[in-house]
Amino acid sequence: MRYVQEFRDPKAAQGVLRAIEAVCTEIGCTADDPLRIMEICGGHTHAIFRYGLDKLVPAGIEFIHGPGCPVCVLPMARVDDCVEIAEQPGVIFCTFGDAMRVPGTRKSLLQAKADGADIRMVYSPLDALELARRNPDREVVFFGLGFETTTPSTALTLQQAKREEIGNFSVFCNHITVPPPIRALLEDPHMILDGFVGPGHVSMVTGIHCYDFVADEFGKPIVVAGFEPLDLLQSVLMVLRQIAEGRAEVENQYARVVPEHGNPVSLAAIADVYEPRPSFEWRGLGEIDASGLRIREGYRAWDTEAKFGIGYGARPKVAEPEGCACGAVMTGRMKPVACPQFGRGCTPDTPLGALMVSSEGACAAYWTYGGARAVAAAE
Amino acid sequence: MCLGIPGQIVSITDAGRQMGMAEVSGVRREVSLAPVADRPLEALVGEWVLIHVGFAMAVIDEHEAQETLIALRELGEAQEALEQMAEGDRALAGVHAGEGTA
């Protein structure tokens, strides 16, 4: 089962689905007493809705959509920081396109751009570094955002900036890491989870042993998964088999891309450039210990926080907008359609909460693949 | 930004910076080869890699890369990645996004 066409083969999917049904029967999970399986990665959330996998699996399985969309969990105060930096004279502010529409207290980056700030959407942090080379009289800031999948790209870019002594470039670091929020969720007494589908491309960088604690300390199965429908179904089956057999292990369904010990160059670059912050705020989840990264002393000259005097936590925390239930949705306590704002005050065109902004947010995915119809049908 | 897309390395453009030219769905884009430079750079020419935000993050099997590209094209996601790359080119050219792209 190596190639994509095989990962979309309806016959193979039927086979896996039948196996899933058999294990569900063996475990005895039902719609009233379902097994709750969390997919951590926003890419998986997107794929589950796109292929309707939540409807394909037996009613005894409930998908809980985890906090794995970096745009969605970014606290509003950090968006305000971005706008403040971008509006300073002489700054070219570079960002991935995904972050442009995230609402801040005053405005989003998109609105700041419309108001005249020089904000550029770039594909890669290397584009931002190139802008710094070409504009030596301007201060170029790159908005570093994302999990371990994108963290190596900014780390390697900062190493390059230091080697070339490009002084007018810096990174506004908002990188976060996957294992700490999993621990926080497992320690939350209100959260009842039976197992995890682990992120694929994060694990390509980290390897699979950063999840050992999920199995060893909390006794929950976790299976690192690919992004094709059959990858996800097979991973769910692997989680179920562990539960049925009373095992709790870290397994790797996505071994065709994920090496057991990750990518050594990327891990070395991350360790060289970044260190954990004592804690970092996650939208909907609050402060989580050692879940965010900051730039080490040796790269201070390329650290936007040092350069612009913007420390983490200096700005007062910003409450979620009135009626926004992103936090409850993100911890699995509420389904997107149960939010009073879903499809009314909050749509992908006019997002109120972060889960509606990115295509990997649970609400946006839900809306795009059937939620809009659900709201229309209810009215 | 989390989306990965397969591309084929066609040449080494700057060995010092570990940069190479990748071809993605007929579009050429310079990418960093640093994460996969655990072998001589020249050995990467002709290889297929999974590209995330301008970095080759993993070497992948050619057949699998082709199939993934076909699947991404069907889903419109290859187009999305290519548009993001074009956006980067526009940013470098100093053209503000949204102008002249309609």
Side-chain angles (χ1 to χ4, degrees):
Chain A
M1 284 218 248
R2 190 167 168 78
Y3 304 120
V4 171
Q5 61 195 22
E6 293 159 34
F7 284 103
R8 291 172 179 225
D9 178 358
K11 261 190 217 150
Q14 285 306 321
V16 178
L17 279 169
R18 274 197 300 274
I20 288 175
E21 274 165 33
V23 186
C24 279
T25 307
E26 186 187 334
I27 296 170
C29 54
T30 62
D32 296 330
D33 184 20
L35 285 177
R36 291 158 65 93
I37 297 176
M38 174 175 277
E39 89 280 359
I40 297 156
C41 170
H44 283 156
T45 304
H46 191 84
I48 285 168
F49 285 112
R50 165 169 260 159
Y51 299 108
L53 301 184
D54 53 327
K55 297 183 183 72
L56 277 181
V57 297
I61 296 172
E62 187 181 350
F63 284 110
I64 308 291
H65 315 298
C69 163
V71 176
C72 303
V73 297
L74 183 73
M76 202 180 262
R78 293 300 266 186
V79 180
D80 292 341
D81 288 338
C82 287
V83 171
E84 189 183 314
I85 296 163
E87 288 183 335
Q88 297 203 22
V91 166
I92 300 177
F93 191 89
C94 302
T95 175
F96 294 129
D98 314 45
M100 287 295 281
R101 288 188 305 134
V102 187
T105 315
R106 281 194 300 135
K107 52 177 103 169
S108 66
L109 284 168
L110 195 63
Q111 288 160 327
K113 184 180 169 65
D115 292 345
D118 190 350
I119 297 173
R120 317 260 182 116
M121 276 189 273
V122 294
Y123 167 65
S124 166
L126 290 172
D127 294 340
L129 188 61
E130 181 58 27
L131 274 169
R133 284 192 198 100
R134 293 186 192 180
N135 297 276
D137 55 333
R138 303 282 299 275
E139 192 60 44
V140 176
V141 175
F142 181 76
F143 180 21
L145 183 66
F147 289 102
E148 290 90 333
T149 317
T150 53
T151 310
S153 68
T154 57
L156 289 160
T157 303
L158 279 171
Q159 287 180 328
Q160 188 67 32
K162 189 175 185 177
R163 269 196 298 271
E164 292 183 44
E165 297 178 357
I166 300 176
N168 62 324
F169 175 79
S170 66
V171 168
F172 183 46
C173 179
N174 288 274
H175 286 300
I176 44 179
T177 51
V178 162
I182 303 181
R183 178 178 286 279
L185 289 168
L186 284 165
E187 285 173 348
D188 181 347
H190 302 295
M191 171 65 75
I192 304 159
L193 290 169
D194 298 293
F196 293 89
V197 170
H201 289 150
V202 161
S203 308
M204 167 180 77
V205 172
T206 62
I208 64 168
H209 290 296
C210 60
Y211 312 114
D212 284 349
F213 72 96
V214 176
D216 297 344
E217 288 179 45
F218 294 92
K220 306 288 182 193
I222 178 164
V223 177
V224 171
F227 294 86
E228 291 298 325
L230 210 51
D231 283 325
L232 281 161
L233 289 177
Q234 197 179 35
S235 300
V236 168
L237 177 60
M238 288 165 77
V239 170
L240 293 178
R241 285 210 170 118
Q242 287 198 38
I243 294 171
E245 292 164 17
R247 289 183 292 126
E249 291 167 17
V250 182
E251 292 181 311
N252 186 4
Q253 184 275 338
Y254 199 33
R256 67 188 192 278
V257 170
V258 174
E260 183 183 351
H261 297 289
N263 182 298
V265 175
S266 296
L267 289 172
I270 292 173
D272 176 46
V273 174
Y274 297 117
E275 63 187 359
R277 298 176 192 270
S279 77
F280 197 72
E281 186 192 352
W282 293 56
R283 217 172 151 165
L285 300 176
E287 291 278 339
I288 300 178
D289 288 349
S291 64
L293 299 176
R294 67 182 173 202
I295 294 171
R296 285 186 189 274
E297 190 61 36
Y299 288 87
R300 196 177 161 79
W302 294 271
D303 182 353
T304 303
E305 288 184 17
K307 238 179 187 176
F308 288 78
I310 291 183
Y312 170 70
R315 198 181 282 277
K317 283 200 171 55
V318 183
E320 297 292 311
E322 188 107 10
C324 174
C326 276
V329 173
M330 216 175 308
T331 48
R333 285 177 284 134
M334 186 188 278
K335 289 280 169 198
V337 281
C339 174
Q341 293 292 350
F342 181 84
R344 297 176 181 92
C346 189
T347 66
D349 289 333
T350 55
L352 185 66
L355 290 177
M356 197 56 104
V357 172
S358 162
S359 66
E360 294 180 359
C363 292
Y366 212 95
W367 175 266
T368 307
Y369 300 107
R373 285 197 300 277
V375 169
E379 281 175 350
Chain B
M1 75 190 153
C2 305
L3 183 65
I5 186 162
Q8 188 176 25
I9 304 302
V10 292
S11 64
I12 305 300
T13 51
D14 184 340
R17 289 183 188 159
Q18 298 182 311
M19 299 294 287
M21 189 60 72
E23 190 168 304
V24 182
S25 278
V27 174
R28 290 194 168 205
R29 161 93 205 185
E30 199 179 28
V31 299
S32 168
L33 302 172
V36 291
D38 55 353
R39 67 200 83 187
L41 287 182
E42 285 303 326
L44 287 166
V45 175
E47 291 282 1
W48 283 81
V49 293
L50 191 61
I51 301 167
H52 277 267
V53 296
F55 288 77
M57 296 301 299
V59 174
I60 45 177
D61 175 273
E62 177 176 352
H63 185 103
E64 186 184 320
Q66 295 284 13
E67 295 288 347
T68 304
L69 263 181
I70 291 166
L72 289 176
R73 271 193 217 114
E74 281 171 6
L75 297 172
E77 286 183 1
Q79 194 55 33
E80 198 179 309
L82 293 173
E83 276 165 17
Q84 287 169 3
M85 289 180 188
E87 198 76 65
D89 292 342
R90 279 196 292 275
L92 284 174
V95 178
H96 284 244
E99 290 168 14
T101 56

